[in-house]
Amino acid sequence: MSLDERWIDIKKRGDTADVHSEAVFAHKVIDVDVLAKALVRIGEHVAENGMEGDGRYRAARDLLMRMPPRIGAQPIRQDGEPTLDAALRIAPHLQPGVFPIQGPPGAGKTHIGARMICALVQAGKTVGVTANSHKVIRNLLDAVVTAADEMGVDVQCMQKSAEREDDVHRLRFTTKAPELLGAISHGVHVGGGTAWLWASPDAAEAVDVLFIDEAAQMALANVLAVSQAASTIVLLGDPQQLDQPMQGSHPEGTDVSSLHHILGGDQTIADDRGLFLAETWRLHPDICAYTSELFYGGRLHPRPGLEVQEIRSGGRVSGAGLRYVPVPTEGNQSSSPEEVDCVRDLVDEILGAGTTWIDKHWVEAPVTLNEILIIAPYNAQVIELQDRIPGGRIGTVDKFQGQEAPIVIYSMTTSSYADAPRGMEFLYSLNRLNVATSRAKCICVLVASPSVFEAQCRTPRQMQLANAFCRYLERASVV
């Protein structure tokens, strides 16, 4: 099966060779017993000992009660202190509890997290790494290896992966949980695995500090379950970007991530509650101004030098900032042939005009298909775009979180709020809009029907959703 190329092999017996299914379903049952039992152990401890006091499950109890980080007499930030310096200063002083780090787009969350891990190892601590997928865990471990080389720290890592892989520099692999847990403190300083590893009874207090990457996409219950593996947990993520993937229904209060729980509805984490990474290394100031205003309470700022990033072209897409291409349509839901044609013509124009771009180091380079991200809300539109623009970097928002490009083109697809097949909450999602627009280093182009900006709102929440798109239109130049 290939999701990218859209094919699947189906084996049939001779007597069913002429029977063709109208649909194919993948049934997958995930055993969550180990996670549930970990929560029961926490609950039993609290029932016997209460929520207050020292002892086991300190991180879980602090997380539930939204307690501030325990770092002794250390301030989280000193006046004028760079974020990385603050993180490295704090790392050796982490005490049992929770330390949240909110990293907006391009703010270097992985860069800082990896160097904190190296600082902890240098201080004699053992560290665990977890996330919702092996891929995310591997990404952070790779960053730890790079940081260890740059900092001159002896860090040896091991990851429990789904399939056996060849060992690489500073990073070994295993498919057996006991092998990883046994190696910690015996030659291995940093261990990586999913929640099922760290929630198991054998992993209780296995490491000193547990880093949870993309914590805004891990359910609060799962974070509580894995918190038993360490006295201290560090949450890396951003609740203003993609939410956790959800299936089924959940009791009130349990359908949020750990970082959403800590923020309690605020856009950014308070100065005394965690570390907010306030500088982006990616966004041109014109794009950052929009992102900061709408999603980060005005706290996000571009690094000096990003103002030189721009697109140079004789075509319509040049300069830097937000752009809007109106494509009037009616009745389109999950696909829009008119917008597909518009995006294809726009890409052809960019590539045919000898377009170049200037990076933050003043280096000029040609814009190829690889320098353009094309995003759409629905898979049907993605498929249409892939057919018309072969080889392009095309996908839904979910595919591109963490990625970046000089130019981003976002095809809204749906003709109006009333046509949205998954409702207004999905089409106008603030998190998805934030991720889509903040992939761009130089220019973000929104391709949409003008009627998208004419939503008839019936609730304050709908007004908030529509406002973000209307504000984009106010700040954008029409192409």
Side-chain angles (χ1 to χ4, degrees), residues 312-317 346-356 367:
R312 292 183 176 177
S313 174
R316 290 178 293 169
V317 179
L346 204 59
V347 170
D348 287 345
E349 180 182 322
I350 292 170
L351 299 180
T355 305
T356 62
V367 171

Side-chain angles (χ1 to χ4, degrees), residues 62-106:
D62 276 9
L63 175 57
L64 285 172
M65 295 188 293
R66 297 193 181 101
M67 297 296 291
R70 301 174 188 271
I71 53 177
Q74 296 285 319
I76 293 178
R77 286 288 290 272
Q78 297 175 347
D79 291 341
E81 184 180 31
T83 306
L84 177 58
D85 291 352
L88 294 179
R89 173 179 51 78
I90 290 168
H93 298 280
L94 290 174
Q95 298 176 9
V98 181
F99 189 78
I101 301 176
Q102 183 181 0

Side-chain angles (χ1 to χ4, degrees), residues 8-24:
I8 184 171
D9 282 336
I10 300 176
K11 293 183 179 180
K12 300 181 181 180
R13 299 191 309 270
D15 59 349
T16 61
D18 296 328
V19 178
H20 304 295
S21 301
E22 295 182 359
V24 177

Side-chain angles (χ1 to χ4, degrees), residues 33-329:
D33 190 54
V34 67
L35 303 176
K37 288 182 177 178
L39 293 175
V40 170
R41 292 195 297 272
I42 296 172
E44 290 175 343
H45 177 87
V46 170
E48 293 179 7
N49 302 281
M51 290 290 284
E52 303 292 343
D54 296 327
R56 299 181 64 192
Y57 307 118
R58 175 77 274 170
R61 289 180 282 130
D62 276 9
L63 175 57
L64 285 172
M65 295 188 293
R66 297 193 181 101
M67 297 296 291
R70 301 174 188 271
I71 53 177
Q74 296 285 319
I76 293 178
R77 286 288 290 272
Q78 297 175 347
D79 291 341
E81 184 180 31
T83 306
L84 177 58
D85 291 352
L88 294 179
R89 173 179 51 78
I90 290 168
H93 298 280
L94 290 174
Q95 298 176 9
V98 181
F99 189 78
I101 301 176
Q102 183 181 0
K109 169 180 62 68
T110 302
H111 179 89
I112 288 175
R115 279 149 184 79
M116 283 188 72
I117 291 173
C118 289
L120 284 162
V121 172
Q122 196 170 31
K125 304 293 186 180
T126 54
V127 181
V129 172
T130 192
N132 274 338
S133 72
H134 295 288
K135 181 179 179 181
V136 174
I137 295 167
R138 175 64 187 276
N139 182 61
L140 182 52
L141 291 177
D142 285 342
V144 170
V145 169
T146 299
D149 289 341
E150 293 176 357
M151 297 169 67
V153 181
D154 180 23
V155 179
Q156 300 299 323
C157 308
M158 179 180 283
Q159 180 178 359
K160 181 192 176 296
S161 54
E163 299 178 356
R164 181 72 189 184
E165 298 184 47
D166 293 333
D167 297 342
V168 295
H169 176 59
R170 295 188 187 271
L171 178 56
R172 295 154 53 191
F173 295 92
T174 181
T175 57
K176 300 176 181 179
E179 183 177 348
L180 183 144
L181 295 175
I184 293 173
S185 294
H186 295 86
V188 170
H189 311 102
V190 182
T194 59
W196 281 257
L197 168 72
W198 298 113
S200 68
D202 293 339
E205 300 181 350
V207 293
D208 296 311
V209 182
L210 181 65
F211 277 70
I212 301 172
D213 200 4
E214 301 295 359
Q217 295 190 44
M218 183 177 285
L220 174 60
N222 285 18
V223 172
L224 291 171
V226 302
S227 68
Q228 59 125 43
S231 59
T232 304
I233 60 174
V234 176
L235 305 175
L236 290 170
D238 181 16
Q240 296 300 99
Q241 297 187 60
L242 291 185
D243 293 322
Q244 57 172 325
M246 297 288 288
Q247 294 183 0
S249 59
H250 302 75
E252 184 178 356
T254 65
D255 58 346
V256 298
S257 75
S258 54
L259 280 175
H260 282 90
H261 173 73
I262 288 175
L263 263 65
D266 294 336
Q267 287 188 324
T268 61
I269 196 159
D271 289 336
D272 63 344
R273 295 284 165 161
L275 188 61
F276 178 75
L277 310 185
E279 283 190 317
T280 176
W281 296 65
R282 174 191 302 157
L283 304 176
H284 183 279
D286 290 350
I287 301 176
C288 184
Y290 169 76
T291 303
S292 183
E293 175 191 347
L294 267 295
F295 309 111
Y296 298 101
R299 295 181 66 188
L300 183 65
H301 307 286
R303 293 265 311 169
L306 294 180
E307 68 277 0
V308 307
Q309 294 182 160
E310 67 170 351
I311 303 298
R312 292 183 176 177
S313 174
R316 290 178 293 169
V317 179
S318 63
L322 306 178
R323 303 289 186 269
Y324 167 54
V325 181
V327 181
T329 62

Side-chain angles (χ1 to χ4, degrees), residues 343 347 369 372-376 385 389 392-395 400 408-409:
V343 173
V347 170
L369 202 52
I372 305 171
L373 280 187
I374 303 171
I375 303 173
L385 287 164
I389 310 173
R393 297 172 64 188
I394 305 169
F400 291 129
V408 167
I409 301 174

